[in-house]
Structures are given as C-alpha cells and as structure tokens.
Amino acid sequence: MSDASHARRTAVYLLDQVLGEGRLLSECYAAGALDKLAVEDKARAQRLAVHTLRELERADRVLASYLKKSTPLHVKNVLRLGTVELCAGGAAHGVVNTMVNILAKHKRHGALKGLANAVLRKVASEGAAEWNKLRAPRLPKWLRSPLAQAWGADTMLAIELVHQAGAPLDLTVKPGADASALGGEILPTGSIRIAAGTQVSGLPGFDAGDWWVQDAAAALPAKLLDAQVGETVLDLCAAPGGKTMQLAAAGAVVTAVDTSKNRLARLQENLDRTKLSATVVTGDALEQIGQYDAVLLDAPCSATGTIRRHPDLPHAKDGSGFGALIELQAQMLAHAWTLVKPGGRLVYCTCSLLPDEGECQVEDALGMYEDMRVDRDALQRDGIELDWITEEGGLRLRPDYWADRGGMDGFYMAVLRKSA
C-alpha cells in the first residue's frame, strides 16, 4: 500500500547518504534503499530526492531566514525536503506533519521536532514568495570554476538553467519498428522525446522491445561509428547497453565488455527484451585482445555532462578523482587503438563537460599515433550542427544545446580512422 510518509522518509535517507556520505543515488538504489517500498512510493521517493538535490541552493536560501544556528545534517535535510515540497505547492498540512513526524521518530534529533514544525510553518506561509525571486541553483564551486573557464560564464548560466529544469525522456527506436503510438517529438538526430515522469514500462512497444531509453546525445556515438552488417564491433565499457543495442540492431557482430556483472545483467535483460544479440563479456577493457573492424570506447569519466539527470553527482563528489580518470582514459584509448584493424575506426566518447576528458585526449592521441586521423566527414549527419564540431574534429555537445526542447547530455566524441 502506498504511503507518502514512507516515500518522504526514504527521500530524507537518500539525501543523508548523498550529502553526508558522498554516495551516489545509483549506489543507494543498488544497495536496496528502495526495496521495501511500494512501486508508487519508490517513484515518489526518487522524485523527491532528485528534486531536492536539484533545488538545494534555493532551499538553503529560503531556510537561512529561519535558521539562526548550525543545524544537524539530518534535520537540515528534513527541512530541505519539506521546503522544496512546500514551495512547489505541496499541501502544507500534509507536508509539515509528515516531516515533523519523521524527525520525532529519530533517536538523536527527535527533540528538534518543534524547530522543524515552526520553521516549516513559516516556509508554508512565506517561503513561496521568496522562492520565486531566487536564481537558478549554481553548481558547487569545485565544478563550476573549471567549467566556466572552459565555456564561459554566460554558458554556465544557460547550462544551470537546463540542469534546474531536469531532463525529458529520450528513446532510441529499433530500425523497422513502428513508433507512431509513442507520440512525443522526433528530435533532429532521430531520437524520440517524451515528457519526464512517464512510466516507461507502460509505453507502447515496451514489451515488444521496439525501443529503449537513451539520451539523444548518448545515441550519437554509435550512429557516428556507423556499424555495417557483418562487421565485428567491440563495445568497451558497454553497460547498461544502449550503444550495444544500436550496434546490434545495425547488423554488426557485437562483443560488449564491462567490468560490472550487475550492469551487464541489465544489459542482457535489455538485449533479451529487444530481441537483439551480442556476446557479453565481464572483463577489463585494458585486458581485451583481438582485432575488430570498429571499436566504441565510452570511457569512464566524471559524468559531468549528465547532471541534468543526476543532480546528486556534484554533491556526492568533489573532483578529487578526476586526475586518475583522465589517466585511465588515456590508457584505455591507447589500448583500444591496438584492437582496431588496419583501415578500421574507433569512436572515443565521454559524457563529460571537461575538455581534459574529451578534446585534450584526442589531441594528445593524434600527436602520438601516425596511423590515426580524425574522420570529420563522419560528423555530417542529420541534426548535427556545424558549431558543435571542434577544432580537432570531434563533436562537443552541451546541456544548453536544444534548451528550448529540454537540452541534452553533455558529451564529447570523435571518430578516429586507422591507416590501411
């Protein structure tokens, strides 16, 4: 049975984990944080946690008027969640009472239920007016500074507006499938975009495997690789499988490699649902051998291009691991190049907004390998705009592109050709 208090309690727990323990929401879900909730409450808990993280700066600015002393993190997260709900139009009685009861049952902080009651009632009566005056939340300084340096202050403001709005749902349709019943908007690059919050499994064609969820930007690397029928293609760091399915649907003989058994299990489920086939291998990309007509390397990265869908990332991380990721990307790109047949091609991509993980990696590789060149012609595809193409011949995508349509993930990708 659905219970709003269970969903709110779980949402507060998720906030505690992200903001207190530095855990990503995906890690919390994988650890079973939602397992005991009814289906409706799972969706509600996720929605509340994500919305609060997206609006964290505005919630804290509203609360600053009523909190004169330092507040324990758990109590602050209860107040943040309540503030976001109230300022979004939530019913004051239900929100305030539930949040106070959540705090009242806490062993250490139950005595602060009176504070929560007083503050949230103030927010209910006065908060919305202040909320509507506040700017779009900004990224934390540790991330905003390098991104502003790369793209400029005005671009950062545009990106943050898209982050605040959240992400619609994009679908990639299997070739030959009839997607007319889905409705939605056909994007310039061919993906179908529908409203956020849509129940995926209830959409027409889900059971038939006619499509899969994949951000429009994430669908482009496989399109640029342009796999042909019968070609051998290696998909490195493949899970959860959107690109693998694109390659298999094109008729290629695909080997999908990832280190995570759990994520590969999800990939296999996706292949089964869509009635597509690939050889699924649990393993390290750096240990793969063989020769392939084409290789797609979606390298591990900061994922800073996905914040509009994952607002927990800038709050759970602090950038301290980025240097190691950049080094790993260089190693993976170098090894992946050895797996490409003469005359073959490699697509290198990352869902990052940091040039060090994209443009700089390809520039460095081009300087190292005499048999490597960038295939600029591969970027001449429907929907790709000329100003997205970078100096070295890659494709730079940003969340503020298509802002009037809901934006896109930040991505970098380049098609690299090996001499015959």
Side-chain angles (χ1 to χ4, degrees):
M1 180 180 295
S2 179
D3 186 331
S5 65
H6 291 167
R8 288 177 174 133
R9 189 183 305 278
T10 301
V12 172
Y13 168 79
L14 293 172
L15 294 176
D16 289 346
Q17 293 300 300
V18 172
L19 301 172
E21 304 298 329
R23 298 178 71 192
L24 294 171
L25 288 176
S26 59
E27 297 170 353
C28 298
Y29 303 154
L34 305 176
D35 288 357
K36 295 182 180 180
L37 297 180
V39 173
E40 308 96 300
D41 292 333
K42 287 182 181 180
R44 186 170 190 170
Q46 289 178 285
R47 185 173 65 252
L48 289 172
V50 167
H51 190 194
T52 302
L53 289 166
R54 192 169 279 138
E55 297 284 11
L56 201 64
E57 180 187 311
R58 291 213 292 179
D60 285 350
R61 285 178 177 270
V62 169
L63 287 169
S65 301
Y66 310 115
L67 295 175
K68 304 305 180 185
K69 297 181 180 180
S70 177
T71 308
L73 180 63
H74 177 74
V75 179
K76 189 74 172 285
N77 287 337
V78 169
L79 295 174
R80 285 164 162 166
L81 180 60
T83 296
V84 170
E85 278 205 88
L86 290 168
C87 292
H93 178 77
V95 173
V96 174
N97 284 355
T98 301
M99 305 316 291
V100 169
N101 287 336
I102 288 173
L103 199 53
K105 294 179 181 179
H106 195 278
K107 292 181 180 179
R108 279 196 297 166
H109 304 310
L112 294 176
K113 65 180 182 180
L115 170 70
N117 183 63
V119 168
L120 290 178
R121 290 194 181 282
K122 282 282 190 179
V123 172
S125 62
E126 305 169 356
E130 178 64 21
W131 181 273
N132 293 328
K133 299 175 185 176
L134 296 172
R135 70 187 184 195
R138 293 189 176 181
L139 291 173
K141 288 183 179 179
W142 70 264
L143 180 56
R144 194 177 202 274
S145 293
L147 292 182
Q149 184 176 4
W151 310 118
D154 289 343
T155 295
M156 279 311 305
L157 291 173
I159 288 174
E160 286 162 341
L161 282 171
V162 175
H163 285 171
Q164 183 186 25
L169 187 68
D170 292 348
L171 308 177
T172 296
V173 178
K174 190 165 64 175
D178 181 4
S180 58
L182 286 168
E185 177 188 5
I186 300 177
L187 296 173
T189 53
S191 297
I192 293 180
R193 175 161 289 181
I194 58 179
T198 305
Q199 180 61 42
V200 172
S201 60
L203 288 171
F206 176 83
D207 292 332
D210 290 343
W211 49 262
W212 51 90
V213 176
Q214 186 178 32
D215 189 84
L220 284 176
K223 290 183 178 182
L224 299 185
L225 191 68
D226 195 23
Q228 301 298 303
V229 174
E231 282 191 317
T232 56
V233 180
L234 179 64
D235 186 4
L236 294 173
C237 310
K243 299 174 184 67
T244 299
M245 289 183 284
Q246 287 177 278
L247 300 171
V253 180
V254 184
T255 301
V257 178
D258 201 279
T259 58
S260 171
K261 289 184 178 180
N262 290 336
R263 283 166 57 82
L264 282 177
R266 182 179 169 194
L267 184 153
Q268 187 62 61
E269 290 173 1
N270 287 330
L271 287 171
D272 292 343
R273 182 178 65 83
T274 56
K275 301 176 180 63
L276 296 169
S277 62
T279 300
V280 178
V281 177
T282 304
D284 190 330
L286 293 172
E287 297 175 356
Q288 302 309 302
I289 59 175
Q291 291 282 280
Y292 296 84
D293 295 311
V295 176
L296 196 160
L297 172 59
D298 187 356
C301 71
S302 64
T304 47
T306 69
I307 292 171
R308 74 197 241 281
R309 290 187 291 112
H310 302 295
D312 50 319
L313 190 147
H315 300 292
K317 304 300 179 184
D318 61 5
S320 59
F322 287 2
L325 280 173
I326 291 167
E327 182 178 345
L328 177 61
Q329 291 155 10
Q331 293 173 358
M332 285 188 168
L333 177 52
H335 182 68
W337 192 240
T338 69
L339 306 177
V340 180
K341 290 180 180 179
R345 62 208 184 279
L346 180 150
V347 166
Y348 170 82
C349 64
T350 58
C351 54
S352 170
L353 287 171
L354 296 167
D356 283 347
E357 299 185 271
E359 291 88 339
C360 297
Q361 292 284 12
V362 168
E363 287 174 353
D364 289 347
L366 289 169
M368 292 174 60
Y369 302 107
E370 293 183 358
D371 60 349
M372 178 187 289
R373 67 176 179 85
V374 174
D375 185 352
R376 292 174 177 267
D377 292 339
L379 306 184
Q380 305 305 311
R381 300 185 66 89
D382 290 344
I384 292 179
E385 300 183 20
L386 289 178
D387 59 357
W388 299 355
I389 299 174
T390 60
E391 184 178 349
E392 79 290 341
L395 190 65
R396 165 53 66 187
L397 305 178
R398 299 198 316 245
D400 57 310
Y401 295 162
W402 294 348
D404 57 335
R405 291 185 166 105
M408 64 171 72
D409 279 357
F411 248 94
Y412 176 84
M413 59 199 75
V415 183
L416 306 172
R417 290 272 180 180
K418 180 174 278 192
S419 301

